[in-house]
Amino acid sequence: MGKSTGEFSVLNAAVLTVSDSRDAASDSSGDYLRDALTTAGHQVVDHAILPDNRYRIRATVSRWIASEDVQVVIVNGGTGFNSKNSTPEALQPLFDRQIEGFGELFRMFSYEDIGSSTLQSRAVAGLANQTLIFAIPGSASACRCAWERIIADQLDARTRPCNFVSYLKKPVE
């Protein structure tokens, strides 16, 4: 997890909160992710809150994938094990390549906080149309864990030995 002295690249990100109960006033996880992205030096170019409906999730994320500007999508919520949660099912058909290690690494870190309950986390990530997509649980602690321990470094071009920045589309100027 070393960093070099190379140049930082500002990335354009979109944040989606999947919840049947949150709204703009109560979206603390979405707020955290947008703040974390901007504090790290990235730009949040869009955000939304949607109910847990795989087709609405897929439509919104598809629009961002097709956009010439969005390079990173972070989805929080809808990754649990109950039958209502559909974020992984919404996103996986969109992936050109799945990043299998993301879910494994997230669950490893999450185990430190919630023990074996992490088995019910279906965190996933993938690349679609040169857009990096992360889907993480909606709790504030899960968002913090994913951002601080995995995502922030992987969105930083200075992270060595590798990061995902070189795989992302270049936004239209």
Side-chain angles (χ1 to χ4, degrees):
M1 192 167 77
K3 297 235 177 154
S4 75
T5 57
E7 285 198 32
F8 179 80
S9 296
V10 176
L11 300 176
N12 293 335
V15 175
L16 173 61
T17 296
V18 174
S19 175
D20 292 333
S21 60
R22 292 189 187 158
D23 58 21
S26 62
D27 184 21
S28 58
S29 294
D31 291 343
Y32 168 79
L33 290 167
R34 289 191 304 277
D35 290 345
L37 282 156
T38 56
T39 298
H42 302 297
Q43 294 182 21
V44 177
V45 295
D46 204 354
H47 69 277
I49 301 171
L50 292 176
D52 201 328
N53 175 294
R54 79 176 63 189
Y55 303 103
R56 291 187 64 191
I57 296 166
R58 192 176 296 159
T60 298
V61 174
S62 292
R63 181 171 44 83
W64 288 335
I65 291 168
S67 163
E68 295 179 346
D69 295 325
V70 177
Q71 298 167 286
V72 178
V73 174
I74 303 177
V75 180
N76 74 93
T79 61
F81 201 72
N82 78 50
S83 61
K84 182 100 170 93
N85 295 141
S86 62
T87 297
E89 290 79 10
L91 299 178
Q92 286 170 322
L94 302 176
F95 294 161
D96 297 325
R97 297 183 85 176
Q98 186 159 338
I99 304 166
E100 289 86 357
F102 174 76
E104 296 163 356
L105 189 58
F106 175 79
R107 284 181 285 280
M108 183 185 83
F109 289 138
S110 178
Y111 180 81
E112 296 170 9
D113 294 331
I114 64 171
S116 65
S117 295
T118 195
L119 285 174
Q120 293 192 29
S121 168
R122 299 182 313 131
V124 296
L127 192 68
N129 192 32
Q130 296 179 290
T131 304
L132 191 57
I133 303 159
F134 295 101
I136 58 180
S139 74
S141 61
C143 289
R144 193 171 305 105
C145 175
W147 174 260
E148 292 177 1
R149 302 196 68 185
I150 307 170
I151 299 171
D153 283 339
Q154 288 302 301
L155 299 185
D156 190 334
R158 302 168 295 182
T159 297
R160 298 290 177 249
C162 58
N163 60 74
F164 283 103
V165 175
S166 66
Y167 300 106
L168 305 179
K169 62 187 158 196
K170 305 298 179 231
V172 174
E173 301 280 327

